[in-house]
Amino acid sequence: MKITGANLLRTLLERQGVHTLAGIPGGASLPLYDALHAAGSQNAIRHILTRHEQGAGFIAQGMARVTGRAGVCLATSGPGATNLLTAIADARLDSVPLVAITGQVPQALIGTDAFQEVDTYGLTLPVTKHNFLVRHPAELLEIVPLAFQLAESGRPGPVAIDVPKDVQVAATEVHAWPAPGGPVPSPACPEERIDAVVRLLAGARRPVLYLGGGVITAGAADLAQQLARRISAPVVCTLMALGAMPPDDPLFMGMLGMHATKGANFLLEEADLLVAIGARFDDRATGKAAEFCPHATIIHIDIDAAEIGKIKSASLGLVGDAADILRRLLDRLPTQNHPAWRARAAELRETHPLTAPPRTEDPLNPINLCRFLGEILPPDTIVTTDVGQHQMWVAQAYPVRRPRTLLTSGGLGTMGFGLPAAIGAGLAAPDRRVVCVSGDGSILMNIQELATLAELGLPVAVLIFNNAQLGLVRQQQELFYGRRYVASHFTTVPDFAALARAFGLRGIRLDADRDPLADLAGALAAPGPCVIDIPIHERANVFPMVPPGAANRQMIAEPELTSSHA
Amino acid sequence: MSSGLEPAGFPETCPASQDKPEATAAAVLALRVRNHPGTMSHITGLFARRGFNLEAIVCVPVDDGSTSRMLLLVSDEPRLEQVERQLAKLYDVLTVRHRPDLTRDFFAKLAPSAMGAAPGPTA
């Protein structure tokens, strides 16, 4: 059977079980789009037309972050490919499985500075797990399944496939279809390493579990909770691990690091054993690495061998799947009670609560807003955030109850992530409410995707915490640059409710003087997409804050008056 | 990481040089890699991106040309283990080994003019 490269690629994607992909067509990807049109079969792929390729990349990420399976995005050559790069780099840093497919100019034109030619292979090389330039349609039979295998195996990540137009057009003989690519199990961690964990835990008096996003990726949240209870170990989570433990669990200490729950950072100072699981000792989590957990022996469990000892040397490193390691560990680990240590953790938690003025007094205080959202939203709601102060307020105050219900750009910190990721989440989980918490700075970075949202009609609510600032920048200028505010204040802020209506969406603006929380609840209770503009205090800051480069114990606390009126 | 001699291949034909005092401690890594146009970019890109030093590269296709043997002259610093682990993660890198029997001299003999040294005696 002779088949064109474009039809071959489409068929291979169908065989992978891809039912939805997001992209924007262009000259160098038109044969592939023609193949998508010709697909009449029942497993035909649904194409989501976005308004910017970065939107397509983050929609694919949103789908991947909810399902754990590789999301797929599609762009043309040149600017199409460069517009995808941020979403690809973002997937790399947050270990999100993604397959990015780009059209390329015909091979005869590669290297000639042809129209819309860019070295996509070279550009994607440092931000992918692996990348391919396809030179012959028959190579797709190997490359496509391999791309999905690489994206989903071990530590997941993005894979790019650059397909020149002539490869899409050329026909090749297909004799047999390859098996779809999928996650390949990692080699098992040796038994003696697990025995060594048991021995180290037996000698610990003040153990702490430090969970990272890898726990969620591995589907090991329940096992991590069992481990915590088995050994009476309080648990701290990174931003990426929020949802791995119920926020009301007595052992849960909250997030660690720059904008931690204060008690979590103090507790780590006292720990004598730290069990890091699927966490990479990122600087936002550890603060000054040399002073992180100064008294603790470190056990580091990670699927990526290169993470063991990268930042902090571990006394014991275990390489493998966290779920497998934890299951085997729990099989042989005796119960340990550390009542004094548990009491100390509880004391730290109670001594250092996250504070906000009473809700009746200040309903639009960001902490109060996030807590209110936690009360009114169904527990399976998927929350996405953009990047900035609102992201940290969500992390601190919104109760993330389940894995994969908080989607946030943790590593790359990409403003503009939230809206398209929310659309992707809505596509992956059509029956659930999706809430994108954004800021007035971030939302404008992919505002064009409101058109995509309006077209799809997904139940995505966009909440804009609007302070007319690049708030986290302004906060740093206030705290560390002598209040010299440069380029952090917006003198013009659009009327977001009107903007939403212009896109064909419901749009409202809350009014602090007219029971705003009731209006918020009402807007969220109504079905379908909407944009809710929420005026917050211009000078509200995120506390505590560890100055960049400082040790985690050096937290800047909030001022006496917790209400942050300007 | 693993260490020891490569079982076979072109480096065996080169005599191990004698230890000599060196300006900076260097180590030699031997890689077996898939031989295709992007492999060198992946390896050099990794060194650039992670800020590792890479002083010299020798690369020769072996077998039927589907793989290559590569020798990298790198700084012998505490981060070397991290370098090896990051290299091992690359899809196109099949094996990473130490070559304690090789030193900077091995590369110097290959490129006398570039190293500003007189050519060594021919074996």
PDB file of all heavy atoms in Angstrom, chain A residues 504-528:
ATOM      1  N   GLY A 504     -17.407  37.425  22.549  1.00  0.00           N
ATOM      2  CA  GLY A 504     -18.594  36.572  22.561  1.00  0.00           C
ATOM      3  C   GLY A 504     -18.743  35.767  23.832  1.00  0.00           C
ATOM      4  O   GLY A 504     -19.398  34.724  23.856  1.00  0.00           O
ATOM      5  N   LEU A 505     -18.118  36.231  24.903  1.00  0.00           N
ATOM      6  CA  LEU A 505     -18.175  35.523  26.186  1.00  0.00           C
ATOM      7  C   LEU A 505     -18.901  36.369  27.222  1.00  0.00           C
ATOM      8  O   LEU A 505     -18.959  37.599  27.108  1.00  0.00           O
ATOM      9  CB  LEU A 505     -16.756  35.247  26.695  1.00  0.00           C
ATOM     10  CG  LEU A 505     -15.916  34.281  25.857  1.00  0.00           C
ATOM     11  CD1 LEU A 505     -14.441  34.437  26.198  1.00  0.00           C
ATOM     12  CD2 LEU A 505     -16.367  32.848  26.101  1.00  0.00           C
ATOM     13  N   ARG A 506     -19.413  35.698  28.253  1.00  0.00           N
ATOM     14  CA  ARG A 506     -19.945  36.418  29.399  1.00  0.00           C
ATOM     15  C   ARG A 506     -18.798  37.134  30.091  1.00  0.00           C
ATOM     16  O   ARG A 506     -17.739  36.538  30.305  1.00  0.00           O
ATOM     17  CB  ARG A 506     -20.526  35.423  30.407  1.00  0.00           C
ATOM     18  CG  ARG A 506     -22.029  35.360  30.432  1.00  0.00           C
ATOM     19  CD  ARG A 506     -22.544  34.557  31.616  1.00  0.00           C
ATOM     20  NE  ARG A 506     -21.924  33.262  31.783  1.00  0.00           N
ATOM     21  CZ  ARG A 506     -21.514  32.795  32.969  1.00  0.00           C
ATOM     22  NH1 ARG A 506     -21.622  33.530  34.062  1.00  0.00           N
ATOM     23  NH2 ARG A 506     -20.980  31.582  33.065  1.00  0.00           N
ATOM     24  N   GLY A 507     -19.006  38.379  30.446  1.00  0.00           N
ATOM     25  CA  GLY A 507     -17.958  39.090  31.163  1.00  0.00           C
ATOM     26  C   GLY A 507     -18.559  39.946  32.259  1.00  0.00           C
ATOM     27  O   GLY A 507     -19.534  40.652  32.026  1.00  0.00           O
ATOM     28  N   ILE A 508     -18.014  39.813  33.469  1.00  0.00           N
ATOM     29  CA  ILE A 508     -18.492  40.687  34.541  1.00  0.00           C
ATOM     30  C   ILE A 508     -17.295  41.248  35.306  1.00  0.00           C
ATOM     31  O   ILE A 508     -16.193  40.707  35.262  1.00  0.00           O
ATOM     32  CB  ILE A 508     -19.427  39.961  35.544  1.00  0.00           C
ATOM     33  CG1 ILE A 508     -18.658  38.882  36.325  1.00  0.00           C
ATOM     34  CG2 ILE A 508     -20.638  39.373  34.837  1.00  0.00           C
ATOM     35  CD1 ILE A 508     -19.393  38.449  37.573  1.00  0.00           C
ATOM     36  N   ARG A 509     -17.555  42.357  35.986  1.00  0.00           N
ATOM     37  CA  ARG A 509     -16.537  42.917  36.864  1.00  0.00           C
ATOM     38  C   ARG A 509     -17.123  42.989  38.261  1.00  0.00           C
ATOM     39  O   ARG A 509     -18.236  43.504  38.446  1.00  0.00           O
ATOM     40  CB  ARG A 509     -16.126  44.311  36.385  1.00  0.00           C
ATOM     41  CG  ARG A 509     -15.071  44.960  37.279  1.00  0.00           C
ATOM     42  CD  ARG A 509     -14.622  46.309  36.705  1.00  0.00           C
ATOM     43  NE  ARG A 509     -13.828  47.068  37.647  1.00  0.00           N
ATOM     44  CZ  ARG A 509     -12.509  46.925  37.832  1.00  0.00           C
ATOM     45  NH1 ARG A 509     -11.843  46.039  37.122  1.00  0.00           N
ATOM     46  NH2 ARG A 509     -11.864  47.664  38.709  1.00  0.00           N
ATOM     47  N   LEU A 510     -16.404  42.456  39.224  1.00  0.00           N
ATOM     48  CA  LEU A 510     -16.894  42.496  40.594  1.00  0.00           C
ATOM     49  C   LEU A 510     -16.738  43.901  41.160  1.00  0.00           C
ATOM     50  O   LEU A 510     -15.799  44.622  40.832  1.00  0.00           O
ATOM     51  CB  LEU A 510     -16.134  41.491  41.468  1.00  0.00           C
ATOM     52  CG  LEU A 510     -16.202  40.017  41.054  1.00  0.00           C
ATOM     53  CD1 LEU A 510     -15.557  39.140  42.121  1.00  0.00           C
ATOM     54  CD2 LEU A 510     -17.631  39.574  40.788  1.00  0.00           C
ATOM     55  N   ASP A 511     -17.661  44.224  42.018  1.00  0.00           N
ATOM     56  CA  ASP A 511     -17.650  45.541  42.654  1.00  0.00           C
ATOM     57  C   ASP A 511     -17.507  45.324  44.152  1.00  0.00           C
ATOM     58  O   ASP A 511     -18.347  44.670  44.783  1.00  0.00           O
ATOM     59  CB  ASP A 511     -18.972  46.260  42.325  1.00  0.00           C
ATOM     60  CG  ASP A 511     -19.006  47.679  42.898  1.00  0.00           C
ATOM     61  OD1 ASP A 511     -18.203  47.973  43.827  1.00  0.00           O
ATOM     62  OD2 ASP A 511     -19.827  48.469  42.418  1.00  0.00           O
ATOM     63  N   ALA A 512     -16.426  45.836  44.707  1.00  0.00           N
ATOM     64  CA  ALA A 512     -16.122  45.609  46.120  1.00  0.00           C
ATOM     65  C   ALA A 512     -17.256  46.074  47.029  1.00  0.00           C
ATOM     66  O   ALA A 512     -17.403  45.572  48.149  1.00  0.00           O
ATOM     67  CB  ALA A 512     -14.821  46.316  46.495  1.00  0.00           C
ATOM     68  N   ASP A 513     -18.062  47.020  46.574  1.00  0.00           N
ATOM     69  CA  ASP A 513     -19.107  47.576  47.432  1.00  0.00           C
ATOM     70  C   ASP A 513     -20.444  46.853  47.290  1.00  0.00           C
ATOM     71  O   ASP A 513     -21.414  47.233  47.939  1.00  0.00           O
ATOM     72  CB  ASP A 513     -19.304  49.069  47.105  1.00  0.00           C
ATOM     73  CG  ASP A 513     -18.023  49.855  47.337  1.00  0.00           C
ATOM     74  OD1 ASP A 513     -17.285  49.476  48.270  1.00  0.00           O
ATOM     75  OD2 ASP A 513     -17.757  50.791  46.572  1.00  0.00           O
ATOM     76  N   ARG A 514     -20.503  45.840  46.423  1.00  0.00           N
ATOM     77  CA  ARG A 514     -21.811  45.225  46.172  1.00  0.00           C
ATOM     78  C   ARG A 514     -21.741  43.712  46.307  1.00  0.00           C
ATOM     79  O   ARG A 514     -21.981  43.013  45.346  1.00  0.00           O
ATOM     80  CB  ARG A 514     -22.301  45.597  44.773  1.00  0.00           C
ATOM     81  CG  ARG A 514     -22.766  47.031  44.650  1.00  0.00           C
ATOM     82  CD  ARG A 514     -23.435  47.238  43.294  1.00  0.00           C
ATOM     83  NE  ARG A 514     -24.212  46.068  42.908  1.00  0.00           N
ATOM     84  CZ  ARG A 514     -24.268  45.574  41.670  1.00  0.00           C
ATOM     85  NH1 ARG A 514     -23.572  46.116  40.711  1.00  0.00           N
ATOM     86  NH2 ARG A 514     -25.026  44.525  41.401  1.00  0.00           N
ATOM     87  N   ASP A 515     -21.409  43.214  47.489  1.00  0.00           N
ATOM     88  CA  ASP A 515     -21.344  41.776  47.751  1.00  0.00           C
ATOM     89  C   ASP A 515     -20.648  41.019  46.624  1.00  0.00           C
ATOM     90  O   ASP A 515     -21.254  40.189  45.935  1.00  0.00           O
ATOM     91  CB  ASP A 515     -22.753  41.219  47.976  1.00  0.00           C
ATOM     92  CG  ASP A 515     -22.702  39.879  48.734  1.00  0.00           C
ATOM     93  OD1 ASP A 515     -21.572  39.401  48.992  1.00  0.00           O
ATOM     94  OD2 ASP A 515     -23.762  39.331  49.042  1.00  0.00           O
ATOM     95  N   PRO A 516     -19.365  41.302  46.426  1.00  0.00           N
ATOM     96  CA  PRO A 516     -18.673  40.733  45.272  1.00  0.00           C
ATOM     97  C   PRO A 516     -18.603  39.209  45.291  1.00  0.00           C
ATOM     98  O   PRO A 516     -18.615  38.575  44.240  1.00  0.00           O
ATOM     99  CB  PRO A 516     -17.271  41.353  45.362  1.00  0.00           C
ATOM    100  CG  PRO A 516     -17.099  41.750  46.785  1.00  0.00           C
ATOM    101  CD  PRO A 516     -18.465  42.136  47.259  1.00  0.00           C
ATOM    102  N   LEU A 517     -18.521  38.612  46.489  1.00  0.00           N
ATOM    103  CA  LEU A 517     -18.392  37.160  46.536  1.00  0.00           C
ATOM    104  C   LEU A 517     -19.679  36.474  46.071  1.00  0.00           C
ATOM    105  O   LEU A 517     -19.637  35.408  45.437  1.00  0.00           O
ATOM    106  CB  LEU A 517     -17.998  36.702  47.941  1.00  0.00           C
ATOM    107  CG  LEU A 517     -16.605  37.180  48.405  1.00  0.00           C
ATOM    108  CD1 LEU A 517     -16.255  36.563  49.755  1.00  0.00           C
ATOM    109  CD2 LEU A 517     -15.525  36.859  47.380  1.00  0.00           C
ATOM    110  N   ALA A 518     -20.814  37.091  46.367  1.00  0.00           N
ATOM    111  CA  ALA A 518     -22.076  36.532  45.873  1.00  0.00           C
ATOM    112  C   ALA A 518     -22.109  36.608  44.356  1.00  0.00           C
ATOM    113  O   ALA A 518     -22.543  35.663  43.678  1.00  0.00           O
ATOM    114  CB  ALA A 518     -23.258  37.289  46.474  1.00  0.00           C
ATOM    115  N   ASP A 519     -21.652  37.713  43.818  1.00  0.00           N
ATOM    116  CA  ASP A 519     -21.604  37.851  42.355  1.00  0.00           C
ATOM    117  C   ASP A 519     -20.636  36.832  41.751  1.00  0.00           C
ATOM    118  O   ASP A 519     -20.899  36.264  40.687  1.00  0.00           O
ATOM    119  CB  ASP A 519     -21.155  39.261  41.965  1.00  0.00           C
ATOM    120  CG  ASP A 519     -22.239  40.298  42.254  1.00  0.00           C
ATOM    121  OD1 ASP A 519     -23.392  39.881  42.513  1.00  0.00           O
ATOM    122  OD2 ASP A 519     -21.934  41.505  42.227  1.00  0.00           O
ATOM    123  N   LEU A 520     -19.514  36.614  42.435  1.00  0.00           N
ATOM    124  CA  LEU A 520     -18.529  35.641  41.953  1.00  0.00           C
ATOM    125  C   LEU A 520     -19.144  34.242  41.932  1.00  0.00           C
ATOM    126  O   LEU A 520     -19.049  33.513  40.937  1.00  0.00           O
ATOM    127  CB  LEU A 520     -17.292  35.675  42.869  1.00  0.00           C
ATOM    128  CG  LEU A 520     -16.193  34.646  42.610  1.00  0.00           C
ATOM    129  CD1 LEU A 520     -15.639  34.773  41.199  1.00  0.00           C
ATOM    130  CD2 LEU A 520     -15.061  34.801  43.628  1.00  0.00           C
ATOM    131  N   ALA A 521     -19.784  33.885  43.037  1.00  0.00           N
ATOM    132  CA  ALA A 521     -20.412  32.555  43.111  1.00  0.00           C
ATOM    133  C   ALA A 521     -21.477  32.410  42.037  1.00  0.00           C
ATOM    134  O   ALA A 521     -21.591  31.357  41.391  1.00  0.00           O
ATOM    135  CB  ALA A 521     -21.005  32.339  44.503  1.00  0.00           C
ATOM    136  N   GLY A 522     -22.243  33.469  41.832  1.00  0.00           N
ATOM    137  CA  GLY A 522     -23.289  33.430  40.816  1.00  0.00           C
ATOM    138  C   GLY A 522     -22.715  33.223  39.427  1.00  0.00           C
ATOM    139  O   GLY A 522     -23.218  32.419  38.641  1.00  0.00           O
ATOM    140  N   ALA A 523     -21.635  33.941  39.137  1.00  0.00           N
ATOM    141  CA  ALA A 523     -21.023  33.832  37.808  1.00  0.00           C
ATOM    142  C   ALA A 523     -20.455  32.435  37.589  1.00  0.00           C
ATOM    143  O   ALA A 523     -20.529  31.883  36.487  1.00  0.00           O
ATOM    144  CB  ALA A 523     -19.925  34.883  37.661  1.00  0.00           C
ATOM    145  N   LEU A 524     -19.887  31.837  38.654  1.00  0.00           N
ATOM    146  CA  LEU A 524     -19.305  30.502  38.517  1.00  0.00           C
ATOM    147  C   LEU A 524     -20.382  29.419  38.458  1.00  0.00           C
ATOM    148  O   LEU A 524     -20.158  28.346  37.899  1.00  0.00           O
ATOM    149  CB  LEU A 524     -18.347  30.221  39.688  1.00  0.00           C
ATOM    150  CG  LEU A 524     -17.029  30.985  39.640  1.00  0.00           C
ATOM    151  CD1 LEU A 524     -16.275  30.826  40.959  1.00  0.00           C
ATOM    152  CD2 LEU A 524     -16.163  30.498  38.488  1.00  0.00           C
ATOM    153  N   ALA A 525     -21.535  29.712  39.035  1.00  0.00           N
ATOM    154  CA  ALA A 525     -22.609  28.710  39.036  1.00  0.00           C
ATOM    155  C   ALA A 525     -23.267  28.615  37.666  1.00  0.00           C
ATOM    156  O   ALA A 525     -23.765  27.556  37.285  1.00  0.00           O
ATOM    157  CB  ALA A 525     -23.639  29.063  40.101  1.00  0.00           C
ATOM    158  N   ALA A 526     -23.272  29.705  36.921  1.00  0.00           N
ATOM    159  CA  ALA A 526     -23.868  29.678  35.584  1.00  0.00           C
ATOM    160  C   ALA A 526     -22.991  28.822  34.675  1.00  0.00           C
ATOM    161  O   ALA A 526     -21.770  28.821  34.811  1.00  0.00           O
ATOM    162  CB  ALA A 526     -23.993  31.098  35.049  1.00  0.00           C
ATOM    163  N   PRO A 527     -23.612  28.064  33.767  1.00  0.00           N
ATOM    164  CA  PRO A 527     -22.808  27.175  32.919  1.00  0.00           C
ATOM    165  C   PRO A 527     -22.013  27.938  31.864  1.00  0.00           C
ATOM    166  O   PRO A 527     -22.308  29.095  31.562  1.00  0.00           O
ATOM    167  CB  PRO A 527     -23.860  26.280  32.257  1.00  0.00           C
ATOM    168  CG  PRO A 527     -25.110  27.090  32.272  1.00  0.00           C
ATOM    169  CD  PRO A 527     -25.041  27.968  33.490  1.00  0.00           C
ATOM    170  N   GLY A 528     -21.032  27.261  31.323  1.00  0.00           N
ATOM    171  CA  GLY A 528     -20.301  27.802  30.180  1.00  0.00           C
ATOM    172  C   GLY A 528     -19.176  28.726  30.558  1.00  0.00           C
ATOM    173  O   GLY A 528     -18.910  28.975  31.738  1.00  0.00           O
TER     174      GLY A 528
END
